[in-house]
Amino acid sequence: MERRSFLLGLFALSAGAATVALSEKADAAALGAAAPALGATPSEKAATLPDGTPIEQAQYYGRHRRPRPRRQVCTVRRNRYGRPVRVCRWVY
């Protein structure tokens, strides 16, 4: 197991280094592309995509917007020895 952990660590390290290298190239490309648009205001740059398509502002609500009402339902069943057992579960 030590060898697997070591190899996994090497893989994670190389993947992290590759990600950092790619992000640095992307940052450099973004800075070069932003040079012609220096006269534009930040709100104009943020409101359009690079091809000029306007961006609509939308707010997305997650799943936790409103908790779903739940209730507990209990039934009496027989276990494998024939004894009654109370079994409860949550339902929506």
Side-chain angles (χ1 to χ4, degrees):
M1 293 305 283
E2 293 293 326
R3 183 174 35 182
R4 287 183 184 171
S5 298
F6 178 73
L7 291 175
L8 182 63
L10 283 178
F11 179 73
L13 184 65
S14 63
T19 303
V20 169
L22 288 176
S23 68
E24 288 176 358
K25 289 181 183 177
D27 290 340
L31 290 176
L38 289 176
T41 62
S43 63
E44 291 175 3
K45 284 191 258 181
T48 60
L49 293 174
D51 63 350
T53 307
I55 298 174
E56 296 179 8
Q57 297 295 327
Q59 184 174 3
Y60 295 97
Y61 290 100
R63 185 177 165 189
H64 306 289
R65 178 173 42 176
R66 186 176 356 151
R68 295 176 65 178
R70 298 189 321 168
R71 62 187 175 100
Q72 192 174 20
V73 176
C74 297
T75 58
V76 177
R77 296 188 180 175
R78 303 272 178 180
N79 65 4
R80 65 184 199 180
Y81 302 111
R83 297 186 184 123
V85 177
R86 185 176 180 187
V87 179
C88 299
R89 61 188 174 97
W90 289 94
V91 296
Y92 290 101

Coordinates of all heavy atoms in Angstrom, one line a residue:
M1 N 0.8 -1.2 0.0 CA 0.0 0.0 0.0 C 0.9 1.3 0.0 O 0.4 2.3 -0.5 CB -0.9 0.0 1.2 CG -2.0 -1.1 1.2 SD -3.0 -1.1 -0.3 CE -4.1 0.3 0.0
E2 N 2.1 1.2 0.5 CA 2.9 2.3 0.5 C 3.3 2.8 -0.9 O 3.3 4.0 -1.2 CB 4.2 2.0 1.3 CG 4.0 1.8 2.8 CD 3.6 3.1 3.5 OE1 4.0 4.2 3.1 OE2 2.8 3.0 4.4
R3 N 3.5 1.8 -1.8 CA 3.8 2.1 -3.1 C 2.7 2.8 -3.8 O 2.9 3.8 -4.6 CB 4.2 0.9 -3.9 CG 4.7 1.1 -5.3 CD 5.2 -0.2 -5.9 NE 4.5 -1.3 -5.5 CZ 4.8 -2.6 -5.8 NH1 5.8 -2.8 -6.6 NH2 4.1 -3.6 -5.4
R4 N 1.5 2.3 -3.6 CA 0.3 3.0 -4.2 C 0.1 4.4 -3.7 O -0.2 5.3 -4.5 CB -1.0 2.2 -3.9 CG -1.0 0.9 -4.6 CD -2.3 0.2 -4.3 NE -2.4 -1.1 -4.9 CZ -3.3 -2.0 -4.7 NH1 -4.3 -1.8 -3.8 NH2 -3.3 -3.2 -5.2
S5 N 0.3 4.6 -2.5 CA 0.2 6.0 -1.9 C 1.2 6.9 -2.5 O 1.0 8.1 -2.9 CB 0.3 6.0 -0.4 OG -0.7 5.2 0.2
F6 N 2.4 6.4 -2.7 CA 3.5 7.2 -3.3 C 3.2 7.5 -4.7 O 3.4 8.7 -5.1 CB 4.8 6.4 -3.1 CG 6.0 7.2 -3.8 CD1 6.5 8.3 -3.1 CD2 6.5 6.7 -5.0 CE1 7.6 8.9 -3.7 CE2 7.6 7.4 -5.5 CZ 8.1 8.5 -4.9
L7 N 2.8 6.5 -5.5 CA 2.4 6.8 -6.9 C 1.3 7.7 -7.0 O 1.2 8.6 -7.9 CB 2.2 5.5 -7.6 CG 3.4 4.6 -7.8 CD1 2.9 3.2 -8.4 CD2 4.4 5.2 -8.6
L8 N 0.3 7.6 -6.1 CA -0.9 8.5 -6.2 C -0.4 9.9 -5.9 O -0.9 10.9 -6.5 CB -1.9 8.0 -5.2 CG -3.2 8.9 -5.1 CD1 -3.9 8.8 -6.5 CD2 -4.1 8.4 -4.0
G9 N 0.5 10.1 -4.9 CA 1.0 11.4 -4.6 C 1.8 12.0 -5.8 O 1.6 13.2 -6.0
L10 N 2.6 11.2 -6.4 CA 3.3 11.7 -7.6 C 2.3 12.1 -8.7 O 2.5 13.2 -9.4 CB 4.2 10.6 -8.1 CG 5.5 10.4 -7.4 CD1 6.3 9.3 -8.0 CD2 6.4 11.7 -7.3
F11 N 1.3 11.3 -8.9 CA 0.3 11.7 -9.9 C -0.4 13.0 -9.6 O -0.6 13.8 -10.5 CB -0.7 10.5 -10.1 CG -1.8 10.8 -11.1 CD1 -1.5 10.8 -12.5 CD2 -3.1 11.1 -10.7 CE1 -2.5 11.1 -13.4 CE2 -4.0 11.4 -11.6 CZ -3.7 11.4 -13.0
A12 N -0.8 13.1 -8.3 CA -1.5 14.4 -7.9 C -0.5 15.6 -8.1 O -1.0 16.6 -8.5 CB -1.9 14.2 -6.5
L13 N 0.7 15.4 -7.7 CA 1.7 16.5 -7.9 C 1.9 16.9 -9.3 O 1.9 18.1 -9.6 CB 3.0 16.1 -7.2 CG 4.1 17.1 -7.2 CD1 3.7 18.3 -6.3 CD2 5.4 16.5 -6.7
S14 N 2.0 15.9 -10.2 CA 2.2 16.2 -11.6 C 0.9 16.9 -12.2 O 1.0 17.8 -13.0 CB 2.6 15.0 -12.4 OG 1.5 14.1 -12.4
A15 N -0.3 16.4 -11.8 CA -1.5 17.0 -12.3 C -1.7 18.4 -11.8 O -2.1 19.3 -12.5 CB -2.7 16.1 -11.8
G16 N -1.3 18.7 -10.5 CA -1.3 20.0 -10.0 C -0.4 21.0 -10.7 O -0.7 22.1 -11.0
A17 N 0.8 20.5 -11.0 CA 1.8 21.3 -11.8 C 1.3 21.6 -13.2 O 1.4 22.7 -13.7 CB 3.1 20.6 -11.8
A18 N 0.7 20.6 -13.8 CA 0.2 20.9 -15.2 C -1.0 21.9 -15.1 O -1.1 22.7 -16.0 CB -0.3 19.5 -15.8
T19 N -1.8 21.8 -14.1 CA -2.9 22.7 -14.0 C -2.4 24.2 -13.8 O -2.9 25.1 -14.4 CB -3.8 22.3 -12.8 OG1 -4.3 21.0 -13.0 CG2 -5.0 23.3 -12.7
V20 N -1.4 24.3 -12.9 CA -0.8 25.6 -12.7 C -0.2 26.2 -14.0 O -0.4 27.4 -14.3 CB 0.2 25.6 -11.5 CG1 1.0 26.9 -11.4 CG2 -0.5 25.3 -10.2
A21 N 0.5 25.3 -14.7 CA 1.1 25.8 -15.9 C 0.1 26.2 -17.0 O 0.3 27.2 -17.6 CB 2.0 24.7 -16.5
L22 N -1.0 25.5 -17.1 CA -2.0 25.8 -18.0 C -2.7 27.1 -17.6 O -3.1 27.9 -18.5 CB -3.0 24.7 -18.2 CG -2.5 23.5 -18.9 CD1 -3.6 22.4 -18.9 CD2 -2.2 23.8 -20.4
S23 N -3.0 27.3 -16.3 CA -3.6 28.5 -15.9 C -2.8 29.7 -16.1 O -3.3 30.8 -16.4 CB -4.1 28.4 -14.4 OG -2.9 28.4 -13.6
E24 N -1.5 29.6 -15.9 CA -0.6 30.7 -16.2 C -0.6 31.1 -17.7 O -0.6 32.3 -18.0 CB 0.9 30.4 -15.7 CG 1.0 30.3 -14.2 CD 2.4 29.9 -13.8 OE1 3.2 29.6 -14.7 OE2 2.6 29.9 -12.6
K25 N -0.6 30.1 -18.6 CA -0.7 30.4 -20.0 C -2.1 31.1 -20.3 O -2.1 32.0 -21.1 CB -0.6 29.2 -20.8 CG 0.8 28.6 -20.8 CD 0.8 27.3 -21.7 CE 2.2 26.7 -21.6 NZ 2.3 25.4 -22.4
A26 N -3.1 30.7 -19.7 CA -4.4 31.3 -19.9 C -4.5 32.7 -19.4 O -5.1 33.6 -20.0 CB -5.5 30.4 -19.2
D27 N -3.9 32.9 -18.2 CA -3.8 34.3 -17.7 C -3.0 35.2 -18.6 O -3.4 36.3 -18.9 CB -3.2 34.3 -16.3 CG -4.1 33.7 -15.3 OD1 -5.3 33.6 -15.5 OD2 -3.6 33.3 -14.2
A28 N -1.9 34.7 -19.1 CA -1.1 35.5 -20.0 C -1.9 35.8 -21.3 O -1.8 36.9 -21.8 CB 0.2 34.8 -20.4
A29 N -2.6 34.8 -21.8 CA -3.4 35.0 -23.1 C -4.5 36.0 -22.8 O -4.8 36.9 -23.6 CB -3.9 33.7 -23.6
A30 N -5.1 36.0 -21.6 CA -6.2 36.9 -21.3 C -5.7 38.3 -21.2 O -6.4 39.2 -21.6 CB -6.9 36.4 -20.0
L31 N -4.5 38.5 -20.6 CA -4.0 39.8 -20.5 C -3.6 40.4 -21.8 O -3.8 41.6 -22.1 CB -2.7 39.8 -19.6 CG -3.0 39.5 -18.1 CD1 -1.7 39.4 -17.4 CD2 -3.9 40.6 -17.5
G32 N -3.1 39.5 -22.7 CA -2.8 40.0 -24.1 C -4.0 40.4 -24.9 O -4.1 41.3 -25.6
A33 N -5.1 39.6 -24.7 CA -6.3 39.9 -25.4 C -7.1 41.1 -24.8 O -7.8 41.8 -25.5 CB -7.3 38.7 -25.3
A34 N -6.8 41.5 -23.6 CA -7.5 42.6 -23.0 C -6.8 43.9 -23.3 O -7.4 45.0 -23.1 CB -7.5 42.4 -21.4
A35 N -5.7 43.9 -23.9 CA -5.0 45.1 -24.3 C -5.8 46.0 -25.2 O -5.8 47.2 -25.0 CB -3.6 44.8 -24.8
P36 N -6.4 45.5 -26.3 CA -7.1 46.4 -27.2 C -8.4 47.0 -26.5 O -8.9 48.0 -27.0 CB -7.5 45.5 -28.4 CG -6.7 44.3 -28.3 CD -6.2 44.2 -26.9
A37 N -8.9 46.3 -25.5 CA -10.2 46.8 -24.9 C -9.9 47.6 -23.7 O -10.8 47.7 -22.8 CB -11.0 45.5 -24.6
L38 N -8.8 48.3 -23.6 CA -8.5 49.1 -22.4 C -9.4 50.3 -22.3 O -9.6 50.8 -21.2 CB -7.0 49.5 -22.4 CG -6.0 48.4 -22.2 CD1 -4.6 49.0 -22.3 CD2 -6.2 47.8 -20.8
G39 N -9.9 50.8 -23.4 CA -10.8 51.9 -23.4 C -12.2 51.6 -22.9 O -12.9 52.5 -22.5
A40 N -12.6 50.4 -22.9 CA -13.9 50.0 -22.4 C -14.0 50.0 -20.9 O -13.0 49.8 -20.2 CB -14.3 48.6 -23.0
T41 N -15.2 50.3 -20.4 CA -15.3 50.3 -19.0 C -15.5 48.9 -18.5 O -15.9 48.0 -19.3 CB -16.6 51.1 -18.6 OG1 -17.7 50.5 -19.2 CG2 -16.5 52.6 -19.0
P42 N -15.2 48.6 -17.2 CA -15.4 47.2 -16.7 C -16.8 46.7 -16.8 O -16.9 45.5 -17.0 CB -15.0 47.4 -15.2 CG -14.2 48.6 -15.1 CD -14.7 49.5 -16.2
S43 N -17.8 47.5 -16.7 CA -19.1 47.0 -16.8 C -19.5 46.6 -18.2 O -20.2 45.6 -18.4 CB -20.1 48.1 -16.3 OG -20.1 49.2 -17.2
E44 N -18.9 47.3 -19.2 CA -19.1 46.9 -20.6 C -18.4 45.6 -20.9 O -19.0 44.7 -21.6 CB -18.6 48.0 -21.5 CG -19.5 49.2 -21.5 CD -18.8 50.3 -22.4 OE1 -17.8 50.0 -23.0 OE2 -19.4 51.4 -22.4
K45 N -17.2 45.4 -20.4 CA -16.5 44.1 -20.6 C -17.2 43.0 -19.9 O -17.3 41.9 -20.4 CB -15.1 44.2 -20.1 CG -14.2 45.0 -20.9 CD -12.7 44.9 -20.5 CE -12.3 46.1 -19.7 NZ -11.0 46.0 -19.2
A46 N -17.8 43.2 -18.7 CA -18.4 42.1 -18.0 C -19.8 41.8 -18.6 O -20.3 40.7 -18.4 CB -18.5 42.5 -16.5
A47 N -20.4 42.7 -19.3 CA -21.7 42.5 -19.8 C -21.8 41.7 -21.1 O -22.8 41.4 -21.6 CB -22.5 43.8 -19.9
T48 N -20.6 41.5 -21.8 CA -20.6 40.8 -23.1 C -19.6 39.7 -23.0 O -18.6 39.8 -22.3 CB -20.3 41.8 -24.2 OG1 -19.1 42.4 -24.0 CG2 -21.4 42.9 -24.3
L49 N -19.8 38.7 -23.9 CA -18.9 37.6 -24.1 C -17.8 38.1 -25.1 O -18.0 39.2 -25.7 CB -19.6 36.4 -24.6 CG -20.5 35.7 -23.6 CD1 -21.3 34.6 -24.3 CD2 -19.8 35.2 -22.4
P50 N -16.7 37.4 -25.2 CA -15.7 37.8 -26.2 C -16.2 38.0 -27.6 O -15.7 38.8 -28.4 CB -14.6 36.7 -26.1 CG -14.8 36.1 -24.7 CD -16.3 36.2 -24.4
D51 N -17.2 37.2 -28.0 CA -17.8 37.4 -29.3 C -18.8 38.5 -29.5 O -19.4 38.7 -30.5 CB -18.3 36.1 -29.8 CG -19.5 35.6 -29.0 OD1 -19.8 36.2 -28.0 OD2 -20.2 34.6 -29.5
G52 N -19.1 39.2 -28.3 CA -20.0 40.3 -28.4 C -21.4 40.0 -27.9 O -22.3 40.8 -27.9
T53 N -21.7 38.7 -27.6 CA -23.0 38.3 -27.2 C -23.3 38.8 -25.8 O -22.5 38.7 -24.9 CB -23.1 36.8 -27.1 OG1 -22.7 36.3 -28.4 CG2 -24.5 36.3 -26.8
P54 N -24.4 39.5 -25.5 CA -24.7 40.0 -24.2 C -25.0 38.9 -23.2 O -25.5 37.9 -23.6 CB -25.9 40.9 -24.4 CG -26.6 40.4 -25.6 CD -25.5 39.8 -26.5
I55 N -24.6 39.1 -22.0 CA -24.8 38.2 -20.9 C -26.0 38.6 -20.1 O -26.1 39.7 -19.7 CB -23.6 38.1 -20.0 CG1 -22.4 37.6 -20.8 CG2 -23.9 37.1 -18.8 CD1 -21.1 37.6 -20.0
E56 N -26.9 37.7 -19.9 CA -28.1 38.0 -19.0 C -27.7 37.6 -17.6 O -27.2 36.6 -17.3 CB -29.3 37.2 -19.5 CG -29.8 37.5 -20.9 CD -31.0 36.6 -21.3 OE1 -31.5 35.9 -20.4 OE2 -31.3 36.7 -22.4
Q57 N -28.1 38.5 -16.7 CA -27.8 38.3 -15.3 C -28.9 37.5 -14.7 O -30.1 37.8 -14.9 CB -27.7 39.6 -14.5 CG -26.5 40.4 -15.0 CD -25.2 39.8 -14.7 OE1 -25.0 39.1 -13.7 NE2 -24.2 40.0 -15.5
A58 N -28.6 36.4 -14.1 CA -29.6 35.5 -13.5 C -29.1 35.0 -12.2 O -27.9 34.8 -12.0 CB -29.9 34.3 -14.4
Q59 N -30.0 34.8 -11.3 CA -29.7 34.3 -10.0 C -30.3 32.9 -9.9 O -31.4 32.6 -10.0 CB -30.2 35.1 -8.9 CG -29.8 34.7 -7.5 CD -30.3 35.7 -6.4 OE1 -31.0 36.6 -6.7 NE2 -29.9 35.4 -5.2
Y60 N -29.4 31.9 -9.6 CA -29.8 30.5 -9.5 C -29.9 30.1 -8.1 O -29.1 30.4 -7.3 CB -28.8 29.6 -10.2 CG -28.7 29.9 -11.7 CD1 -27.7 30.7 -12.2 CD2 -29.6 29.3 -12.5 CE1 -27.7 30.9 -13.6 CE2 -29.6 29.5 -13.9 CZ -28.6 30.3 -14.4 OH -28.6 30.5 -15.7
Y61 N -31.0 29.5 -7.7 CA -31.3 29.0 -6.4 C -30.9 27.6 -6.3 O -31.2 26.8 -7.2 CB -32.7 29.2 -6.0 CG -33.2 30.6 -5.8 CD1 -33.8 31.3 -6.8 CD2 -32.8 31.3 -4.7 CE1 -34.2 32.6 -6.7 CE2 -33.2 32.6 -4.5 CZ -33.9 33.2 -5.5 OH -34.3 34.5 -5.4
G62 N -30.2 27.3 -5.3 CA -29.8 25.9 -5.1 C -30.9 25.0 -4.6 O -32.1 25.4 -4.6
R63 N -30.6 23.8 -4.3 CA -31.6 22.9 -3.9 C -32.2 23.2 -2.5 O -33.3 22.8 -2.1 CB -31.0 21.5 -3.9 CG -31.9 20.4 -3.5 CD -31.3 19.1 -3.6 NE -32.1 18.1 -3.0 CZ -31.7 16.9 -2.7 NH1 -30.5 16.5 -3.0 NH2 -32.5 16.0 -2.1
H64 N -31.4 24.0 -1.8 CA -31.8 24.3 -0.4 C -32.6 25.6 -0.2 O -32.5 26.3 0.8 CB -30.5 24.4 0.5 CG -29.7 23.2 0.4 ND1 -30.0 22.0 0.9 CD2 -28.5 23.0 -0.3 CE1 -29.1 21.1 0.7 NE2 -28.2 21.7 -0.1
R65 N -33.3 25.9 -1.3 CA -34.1 27.2 -1.2 C -35.2 27.0 -0.2 O -35.4 27.9 0.6 CB -34.7 27.4 -2.6 CG -35.6 28.6 -2.6 CD -36.1 28.9 -4.0 NE -36.5 27.7 -4.7 CZ -37.1 27.7 -5.9 NH1 -37.3 28.9 -6.5 NH2 -37.4 26.6 -6.5
R66 N -35.9 25.9 -0.1 CA -37.0 25.7 0.8 C -37.0 24.3 1.2 O -37.0 23.4 0.3 CB -38.3 26.1 0.2 CG -39.5 26.0 1.2 CD -40.8 26.5 0.5 NE -40.6 27.0 -0.8 CZ -41.6 26.9 -1.7 NH1 -42.8 26.4 -1.4 NH2 -41.5 27.4 -2.9
P67 N -36.9 23.9 2.5 CA -36.9 22.5 2.9 C -38.2 21.9 2.5 O -39.3 22.5 2.7 CB -36.6 22.5 4.4 CG -37.0 23.9 4.8 CD -36.8 24.8 3.7
R68 N -38.1 20.7 2.0 CA -39.3 19.9 1.7 C -40.0 19.4 3.0 O -39.2 18.9 3.9 CB -39.0 18.8 0.8 CG -38.5 19.2 -0.6 CD -38.1 18.1 -1.4 NE -39.3 17.2 -1.7 CZ -39.2 16.2 -2.5 NH1 -38.0 15.8 -3.0 NH2 -40.2 15.4 -2.7
P69 N -41.3 19.4 3.1 CA -41.9 18.9 4.4 C -41.8 17.4 4.4 O -42.1 16.7 3.4 CB -43.3 19.4 4.3 CG -43.6 19.6 2.8 CD -42.2 20.0 2.2
R70 N -41.4 16.8 5.5 CA -41.3 15.4 5.6 C -42.0 15.0 6.9 O -42.3 15.7 7.8 CB -39.8 15.0 5.8 CG -38.9 15.3 4.7 CD -37.6 14.7 4.8 NE -37.0 14.7 6.1 CZ -35.9 14.1 6.5 NH1 -35.3 13.4 5.6 NH2 -35.5 14.1 7.7
R71 N -42.5 13.7 6.8 CA -43.1 13.2 8.0 C -42.6 11.7 8.2 O -42.2 11.1 7.3 CB -44.6 13.2 7.9 CG -45.2 12.4 6.7 CD -46.7 12.6 6.6 NE -47.1 11.9 5.4 CZ -47.7 10.7 5.4 NH1 -48.0 10.1 6.6 NH2 -48.1 10.1 4.3
Q72 N -42.7 11.3 9.4 CA -42.2 9.9 9.8 C -43.4 9.0 9.8 O -44.4 9.3 10.4 CB -41.5 10.0 11.1 CG -40.7 8.7 11.4 CD -39.9 8.8 12.7 OE1 -40.2 9.7 13.5 NE2 -38.9 8.0 12.8
V73 N -43.2 7.9 9.1 CA -44.3 6.8 9.0 C -43.7 5.6 9.7 O -42.6 5.1 9.3 CB -44.7 6.5 7.6 CG1 -45.7 5.4 7.5 CG2 -45.2 7.8 6.9
C74 N -44.4 5.1 10.7 CA -44.0 3.9 11.4 C -45.0 2.8 11.1 O -46.2 3.0 11.1 CB -43.9 4.2 12.9 SG -42.7 5.4 13.3
T75 N -44.5 1.6 11.0 CA -45.3 0.4 10.8 C -44.8 -0.7 11.7 O -43.6 -0.7 12.1 CB -45.4 -0.1 9.4 OG1 -44.0 -0.4 9.0 CG2 -45.9 0.9 8.4
V76 N -45.6 -1.7 12.0 CA -45.2 -2.8 12.8 C -45.1 -4.0 11.9 O -46.0 -4.4 11.2 CB -46.2 -3.1 14.0 CG1 -45.8 -4.3 14.8 CG2 -46.3 -1.9 14.9
R77 N -43.9 -4.6 11.9 CA -43.7 -5.8 11.1 C -43.1 -6.9 12.0 O -42.7 -6.6 13.1 CB -42.6 -5.4 10.0 CG -43.1 -4.4 9.0 CD -42.2 -4.3 7.9 NE -42.7 -3.2 6.9 CZ -42.1 -2.8 5.9 NH1 -40.9 -3.3 5.6 NH2 -42.6 -1.9 5.1
R78 N -43.1 -8.0 11.4 CA -42.5 -9.2 12.1 C -41.1 -9.4 11.7 O -40.8 -9.4 10.5 CB -43.4 -10.4 11.9 CG -44.8 -10.3 12.2 CD -45.1 -10.6 13.6 NE -46.5 -10.4 14.0 CZ -46.9 -10.6 15.2 NH1 -46.1 -11.1 16.1 NH2 -48.2 -10.4 15.4
N79 N -40.2 -9.7 12.7 CA -38.8 -10.0 12.3 C -38.8 -11.5 11.9 O -39.8 -12.2 11.9 CB -37.9 -9.6 13.4 CG -38.1 -10.4 14.7 OD1 -38.9 -11.3 14.7 ND2 -37.3 -10.1 15.7
R80 N -37.6 -12.0 11.7 CA -37.4 -13.3 11.2 C -37.8 -14.4 12.3 O -37.9 -15.6 12.0 CB -36.0 -13.6 10.7 CG -35.0 -13.5 11.7 CD -33.6 -13.6 11.0 NE -32.6 -14.0 12.0 CZ -31.4 -14.2 11.8 NH1 -31.0 -14.1 10.5 NH2 -30.5 -14.5 12.7
Y81 N -37.9 -13.9 13.5 CA -38.3 -14.9 14.6 C -39.8 -14.8 14.9 O -40.3 -15.4 15.8 CB -37.5 -14.6 15.9 CG -36.0 -14.7 15.6 CD1 -35.2 -13.6 15.6 CD2 -35.4 -15.9 15.4 CE1 -33.9 -13.7 15.4 CE2 -34.1 -16.0 15.1 CZ -33.3 -14.9 15.2 OH -31.9 -15.0 14.9
G82 N -40.5 -13.9 14.2 CA -42.0 -13.8 14.4 C -42.4 -12.8 15.4 O -43.5 -12.6 15.7
R83 N -41.4 -12.0 16.0 CA -41.7 -11.0 17.0 C -42.0 -9.7 16.3 O -41.5 -9.3 15.3 CB -40.5 -10.8 17.9 CG -40.2 -12.1 18.7 CD -39.1 -11.8 19.7 NE -38.7 -13.0 20.3 CZ -37.5 -13.5 20.4 NH1 -36.5 -12.9 19.8 NH2 -37.2 -14.7 21.0
P84 N -43.0 -8.9 16.9 CA -43.3 -7.6 16.3 C -42.2 -6.6 16.5 O -41.7 -6.5 17.6 CB -44.6 -7.2 17.0 CG -44.6 -8.0 18.2 CD -43.8 -9.3 18.0
V85 N -41.9 -5.9 15.4 CA -40.8 -4.9 15.5 C -41.4 -3.6 14.8 O -42.0 -3.7 13.8 CB -39.6 -5.3 14.7 CG1 -38.5 -4.3 14.7 CG2 -39.0 -6.6 15.3
R86 N -41.1 -2.5 15.5 CA -41.6 -1.2 14.9 C -40.5 -0.7 13.9 O -39.4 -0.5 14.3 CB -41.8 -0.2 16.1 CG -42.3 1.1 15.6 CD -42.6 2.0 16.8 NE -43.2 3.2 16.4 CZ -43.4 4.2 17.2 NH1 -43.1 4.1 18.5 NH2 -43.9 5.3 16.8
V87 N -40.9 -0.4 12.7 CA -40.0 0.1 11.7 C -40.5 1.4 11.2 O -41.7 1.6 10.8 CB -40.0 -0.9 10.5 CG1 -39.1 -0.4 9.4 CG2 -39.6 -2.3 10.9
C88 N -39.6 2.5 11.3 CA -40.0 3.8 11.0 C -39.2 4.3 9.8 O -38.0 3.9 9.6 CB -39.8 4.8 12.1 SG -40.8 4.3 13.5
R89 N -39.8 5.2 8.9 CA -39.0 5.7 7.8 C -39.6 7.1 7.5 O -40.7 7.5 7.9 CB -39.1 4.9 6.6 CG -40.5 4.7 6.1 CD -40.6 3.7 4.9 NE -42.0 3.4 4.6 CZ -42.6 3.9 3.6 NH1 -42.0 4.8 2.8 NH2 -43.9 3.7 3.3
W90 N -38.8 8.0 6.9 CA -39.2 9.3 6.6 C -39.7 9.4 5.2 O -39.1 8.8 4.3 CB -38.0 10.3 6.7 CG -37.6 10.5 8.1 CD1 -36.7 9.9 8.8 CD2 -38.2 11.5 9.0 NE1 -36.6 10.4 10.1 CE2 -37.5 11.4 10.2 CE3 -39.2 12.4 8.9 CZ2 -37.9 12.2 11.3 CZ3 -39.5 13.2 10.0 CH2 -38.9 13.1 11.2
V91 N -40.9 10.0 4.9 CA -41.4 10.1 3.6 C -41.7 11.6 3.4 O -41.9 12.4 4.3 CB -42.7 9.3 3.5 CG1 -42.5 7.8 3.6 CG2 -43.8 9.8 4.5
Y92 N -41.8 12.0 2.1 CA -42.1 13.3 1.7 C -43.6 13.5 1.5 O -44.3 12.7 1.2 CB -41.3 13.7 0.4 CG -39.9 13.8 0.6 CD1 -39.0 12.8 0.3 CD2 -39.3 15.0 1.2 CE1 -37.6 12.9 0.5 CE2 -38.0 15.1 1.5 CZ -37.1 14.0 1.1 OH -35.8 14.2 1.3

